[in-house]
Amino acid sequence: DQQVKQNSPSLSVQEGRISILNCDYTNSMFDYFLWYKKYPAEGPTFLISISSIKDKNEDGRFTVFLNKSAKHLSLHIVPSQPGDSAVYFCAASARIKGGGADGLTFGKGTHLIIQP
Amino acid sequence: GAVVSQHPSRVICKSGTSVKIECRSLDFQATTMFWYRQFPKQSLMLMATSNEGSKATYEQGVEKDKFLINHASLTLSTLTVTSAHPEDSSFYICSASSQGSNQPQHFGDGTRLSIL
């Protein structure tokens, strides 16, 4: 049973416009969410994260929104650039209280294509 | 940014061979390292979590005697696939995290394992 779902395998956006990547989760214990970007033949690169105590986190062109009641998060990239073309993975964890790192549960990824 | 090196990037070997994969954190101390596996068109699946100096914790369905994990130092973890068979062919990728639950995981570039 897929606990983190990215229902769009691919997304095509024109350069300069906004890219919105969506992610849904089912496990209510998840309290930390991350987005990773992956180029071919490379490992995932951390992009941005958000804790469940927040509903928005912004870092430059990247903003992640979290809607806990809907168990939904989204990544907004604006403006989109050709170098943003990659596979984007949504990931979640239920962090151990008091510290320590937890394994991540990943979605299947969305291939973002930025068209010039 | 944090760098995680994984070696080798690709292995092709005969059935029955044992294969060792190394994961190193190059510029930070990784108190926790994770091993994931990805089958074609599937998401990354957590196999095990290892903390430096202690035994790894394996996810349900992952055979600990099949996938030996050693995390002897704060910068090195190894995964040994023992007596590998064709069904073990997969993409294996490690990640590392420094102290604290707010730290994102940083990934290596993965190892493509093909068992003939």
Side-chain angles (χ1 to χ4, degrees), chain B residues 4-5 12 22 31 33 37 40 45 66 102 106 113:
Chain B
V4 175
S5 173
I12 302 173
E22 291 188 351
T31 50
M33 286 186 168
R37 179 170 55 185
M45 298 292 291
K66 176 75 169 176
N102 290 325
H106 299 282
L113 176 62

Side-chain angles (χ1 to χ4, degrees), chain A residues 5-80:
Chain A
K5 298 178 184 179
Q6 293 177 259
N7 292 320
S8 297
S10 66
L11 175 67
S12 185
V13 174
Q14 201 166 11
E15 182 180 358
R17 306 294 286 267
I18 183 171
S19 294
I20 300 176
L21 298 114
N22 293 303
C23 178
D24 298 290
Y25 63 96
T26 58
N27 189 341
S28 57
M29 297 300 291
F30 288 147
D31 60 359
Y32 184 51
F33 305 89
L34 309 90
W35 284 95
Y36 284 84
K37 176 180 178 181
K38 186 182 183 301
Y39 293 118
E42 294 183 8
T45 302
F46 170 72
L47 206 53
I48 192 168
S49 65
I50 188 167
S51 166
S52 59
I53 62 173
K54 294 185 175 182
D55 55 18
K56 177 182 173 181
N57 188 25
E58 190 173 351
D59 184 2
R61 296 186 299 115
F62 303 93
T63 303
V64 55
F65 294 92
L66 175 62
N67 183 333
K68 283 186 293 182
S69 61
K71 293 191 177 65
H72 177 84
L73 64 154
S74 60
L75 174 68
H76 292 213
I77 306 173
V78 56
S80 300

Side-chain angles (χ1 to χ4, degrees), chain A residues 32 34-37 42-49 59 91 101-104 106, chain B residues 1-6 22-36 44 46 71 74-75 77 92-110:
Chain A
Y32 184 51
L34 309 90
W35 284 95
Y36 284 84
K37 176 180 178 181
E42 294 183 8
T45 302
F46 170 72
L47 206 53
I48 192 168
S49 65
D59 184 2
D102 298 283
L104 298 174
F106 281 86
Chain B
V3 179
V4 175
S5 173
Q6 187 171 340
E22 291 188 351
C23 181
R24 294 180 186 272
S25 57
L26 298 184
D27 54 357
F28 68 101
Q29 292 187 326
T31 50
T32 308
M33 286 186 168
F34 303 87
W35 289 94
Y36 295 83
L44 288 167
L46 179 67
H71 190 169
L74 285 171
T75 59
S77 176
Y92 294 86
I93 191 165
C94 71
S95 70
S97 178
S98 56
Q99 186 75 32
S101 60
N102 290 325
Q103 301 302 318
Q105 295 176 30
H106 299 282
F107 285 81
D109 286 340

Side-chain angles (χ1 to χ4, degrees), chain B residues 46-80:
Chain B
L46 179 67
M47 296 175 66
T49 302
S50 74
N51 292 294
E52 184 262 339
S54 61
K55 288 185 179 180
T57 303
Y58 291 82
E59 296 299 299
Q60 192 172 12
V62 179
E63 300 175 55
K64 61 180 182 180
D65 294 331
K66 176 75 169 176
F67 300 99
L68 300 179
I69 292 171
N70 183 278
H71 190 169
S73 76
L74 285 171
T75 59
L76 174 65
S77 176
T78 60
L79 168 68
T80 301

